[in-house]
């Protein structure tokens, strides 16, 4: 399937979303991989993971880059040898990237009841405003919070950061698409703008939450 959606956030930031409907063979035939990337692909046991991995390469190509231009640091964070920052994510049948002159992180999650069982592992101060009376909204809110914390962690990517203890997401409304968050780690305090939106799969009908964060 072609590119699912492009979000032109501003002049220097673009988000691309791919709906993964192609077979592994189809995707592989459309990308050019460097040797290190091919070895990483070959080591993946799940074909779903392989297809998501290749879909990210499709998105990179859509932006005019190649696999040879993307690298990973010692913590697994992707980067280009230029002024563009990149962050990547994939969830089930979606993959997405954000490329920007700014420092950014992105996450995409399927909205599902499973998150209710693990909420106490990543939610702390946010309990003061969560709508626990409406299960559907509660799941959506938890997914935004998880996505925000995941996106922020991708930006900082420092050992020892706890989603529950160190990252705080300010109160927000599902009717809006913007909130703020902060990271409090050791002597470090960093603020972020967090954007979020709902994406529906046209094949499964499932709802996903896309979240992306900018370091202030």
């Amino acid at each position: 399937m072609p590119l699912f959606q492009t979000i032109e956030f501003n002049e220097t930031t673009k988000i691309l979303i791919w709906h993964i409907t192609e077979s592994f063979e189809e995707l592989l035939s459309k990308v050019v991989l460097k040797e290190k990337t091919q070895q990483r692909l070959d080591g993946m046991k799940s074909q779903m993971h392989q297809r998501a991995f290749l879909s990210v390469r499709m998105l990179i190509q859509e932006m005019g880059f190649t696999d040879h231009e993307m690298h990973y640091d010692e913590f697994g964070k992707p980067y280009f040898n230029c002024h563009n920052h990149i962050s990547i994510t994939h969830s089930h049948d979606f993959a997405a990237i954000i490329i920007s002159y700014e420092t950014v992180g992105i996450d995409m999650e399927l909205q599902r009841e499973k998150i209710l069982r693990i909420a106490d592992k990543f939610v702390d101060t946010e309990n003061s405003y969560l709508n626990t009376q409406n299960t559907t909204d509660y799941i959506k809110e938890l997914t935004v919070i998880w996505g925000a914390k995941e996106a922020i962690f991708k930006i900082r990517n420092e050992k020892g950061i706890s989603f529950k203890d160190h990252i705080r997401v300010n109160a927000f409304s599902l009717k809006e698409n913007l909130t703020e968050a902060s990271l409090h780690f050791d002597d470090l305090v960093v603020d972020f703008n967090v954007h979020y939106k709902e994406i529906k799969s046209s094949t499964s009908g499932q709802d996903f939450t896309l979240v992306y964060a900018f370091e202030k």
Side-chain angles (χ1 to χ4, degrees):
M1 183 174 182
L3 188 64
F4 179 78
Q5 188 173 353
T6 300
I7 301 170
E8 299 269 1
F9 183 79
N10 57 33
E11 292 182 356
T12 62
T13 304
K14 185 180 287 188
I15 300 153
L16 280 72
I17 305 170
W18 193 273
H19 198 179
I20 310 168
T21 58
E22 303 89 348
S23 68
F24 170 77
E25 291 76 18
E26 284 180 281
L27 289 167
L28 186 61
S29 69
K30 295 176 181 177
V31 297
V32 178
L33 305 177
K34 58 189 175 188
E35 184 179 354
K36 190 173 182 179
T37 303
Q38 184 64 56
Q39 291 173 349
R40 186 176 174 188
L41 178 68
D42 293 340
M44 296 176 183
K45 296 180 180 179
S46 164
Q47 190 169 105
M48 178 181 288
H49 193 187
Q50 289 178 318
R51 290 165 66 216
F53 185 79
L54 291 173
S55 295
V56 168
R57 270 71 200 164
M58 293 290 289
L59 291 170
I60 291 169
Q61 290 180 175
E62 287 279 345
M63 284 293 294
F65 293 93
T66 69
D67 179 61
H68 288 78
E69 295 174 276
M70 191 172 77
H71 313 281
Y72 291 87
D73 67 16
E74 59 183 310
F75 303 108
K77 183 176 181 179
Y79 68 92
F80 292 125
N81 288 326
C82 64
H83 53 262
N84 284 291
H85 296 271
I86 181 172
S87 184
I88 66 180
T89 184
H90 48 79
S91 178
H92 297 263
D93 54 349
F94 279 107
I97 65 171
I98 184 168
I99 293 181
S100 178
Y101 286 5
E102 301 177 63
T103 305
V104 293
I106 193 170
D107 189 56
M108 193 168 187
E109 299 288 339
L110 173 65
Q111 297 171 10
R112 49 182 175 172
E113 290 189 0
K114 178 183 177 181
I115 201 167
L116 299 173
R117 301 196 296 272
I118 62 171
D120 63 339
K121 298 184 184 300
F122 68 91
V123 173
D124 185 25
T125 58
E126 298 83 10
N127 281 313
S128 63
Y129 62 76
L130 282 167
N131 182 7
T132 57
Q133 304 304 308
N134 183 314
T135 301
T136 300
D137 284 354
Y138 187 34
I139 291 171
K140 291 177 184 288
E141 290 170 353
L142 288 174
T143 308
V144 170
I145 292 168
W146 174 268
K149 296 189 177 190
E150 183 70 41
I152 288 167
F153 181 77
K154 287 180 180 180
I155 292 174
R156 299 304 307 189
N157 208 24
E158 295 180 42
K159 186 177 181 180
I161 292 177
S162 161
F163 281 19
K164 182 173 183 176
D165 299 331
H166 300 136
I167 305 175
R168 304 169 187 170
V169 180
N170 293 1
F172 61 91
S173 168
L174 293 173
K175 296 178 181 179
E176 305 295 333
N177 59 11
L178 174 66
T179 187
E180 296 179 331
S182 56
L183 171 68
H184 304 255
F185 184 60
D186 291 338
D187 296 327
L188 180 71
V189 178
V190 185
D191 295 319
F192 302 86
N193 286 322
V194 178
H195 302 260
Y196 50 93
K197 68 174 298 181
E198 196 169 275
I199 305 287
K200 182 179 286 290
S201 170
S202 57
T203 53
S204 67
Q206 293 174 304
D207 293 319
F208 292 75
T209 298
L210 178 73
V211 187
Y212 45 104
F214 296 85
E215 186 173 325
K216 289 187 178 181

